[in-house]
Amino acid sequence: MIEVANRLKHVEEYYFSKKLREVAFLKSQGKPIINLGIGSPDLEPPFKATMLLRDSLDDEGANKYQSYQGLPELREAIANFYSKRYKVNLSSQTEVLPLLGSKEGIMHISMAFLNKGDKVLIPNPGYPTYGAVTKLLEAKPIFYDLKEEHNWQPDFIALERLDLSKVKIMWINYPHMPTGANATNKFYDEVIAFGKRNNILIVNDNPYSFVLNEKPISIMRYRGAKDVCLELNSLSKTFNMAGWRVGMLVGNYDHINAVLRVKSNMDSGMFYGIQKGAIEALKCSDMWFVSLNSVYQLRRELIWKLAEGLNCTYDEDATGLFVWAKLPSHLKSEEFTDLVLKEHSIFITPGTVFGSNGEGYVRFSLCASEEVIKEAIARV
Ligand SMILES: Cc1ncc(COP(=O)(O)O)c(C=O)c1O
């Protein structure tokens, strides 16, 4: 075996990559596993999107490499989506970059702005990819606390006390995964001011704003945001298109251009048909969001029942595709989820996957039918 690069020595395989192998093995042994672990939407994408994908296969050039910046119509559809849904004006020429899913954007942004030894502020709990990518680039993650008693928002007084001289990026993610917490207007103003004062790029990762969330917000709506912020967004959860891999990055020309310099050296564009389908999805009417959320609302009520059956508590005001539930005080997250898998064949995610502040919590996904969730309740 050739020795792996130093950068790999501090990075584990992604939790779900490992755990889903174990779950698949249990299934192959005949265990009737119910998967409430991962947030991969099981509902259909918009019909028109699938139709356009199919219909565009015979278009001239459909099989060719595509532009590194996506089709101009896709960038326009993204700018229109931001204008209609978030009341944010963006130039489709210079302030929008389509991505192959938003996850890859985390790497591209980090490669564009981080040098070895730079520091990055990362939420704890939070999406594990921010920390993993930071370590892959030999930069240093500085995990900042999010606590339930603070409504899962950062404490800026504590942040200002840190040595911020080498901090280049701060990741934020509201509506927040895994807790479902939302941010306030005051928070967005504060984080922008914090970024400006300390010369830190603020990146808001925003894939959950349309799931069980009454007021979708983009950080770009706030005064001064374009100077110091980027925002990632995604069609994965909003339009049930996780496997299509369509995301986007928005921000000012200079920041977007820096990311394009990385990205254009890494992939060779998004498949034409997927772009055509994505354009249709982005044009969906209000009805799409109403019907999507009516399904998730019913599922969430059932998941609440399941959580109660497992003696967990939860916040009814939380948003998003998951229920974040608190365990009785003496229980540990991983022991609890292992037990639930063993005794009930139900896979849920331990809160510790998202950082040390996730200890004592578990995450249930809403990506399973009512029937399946009812079966889980019956088992418990
Ligand atoms: C917080 C957060 N950001 C980003 C992503 C990546 O989404 P995608 O790459 O499908 O756009 C996920 C996926 O689960 C997520 O939970």
Side-chain angles (χ1 to χ4, degrees), residues 22 83 86 148 158 195 262 271 275 305 353-354 364:
E22 190 185 322
S83 162
Y86 295 119
E148 188 168 0
V262 174
F271 178 56
Q275 297 192 64
K305 263 197 196 153
V353 166
F354 308 102
F364 296 84

Side-chain angles (χ1 to χ4, degrees), residues 152-192:
W152 306 106
Q153 316 242 338
D155 174 351
F156 284 101
I157 297 172
L159 285 178
E160 292 278 6
R161 278 199 212 109
L162 299 172
D163 172 12
L164 298 171
S165 55
K166 292 216 84 182
V167 175
K168 280 292 271 306
I169 295 178
M170 176 180 187
W171 290 98
I172 60 169
N173 158 229
Y174 289 101
H176 181 244
M177 196 291 299
T179 66
N182 234 330
T184 57
N185 289 329
K186 182 167 169 273
F187 164 79
Y188 287 111
D189 286 332
E190 270 185 333
V191 79
I192 292 165

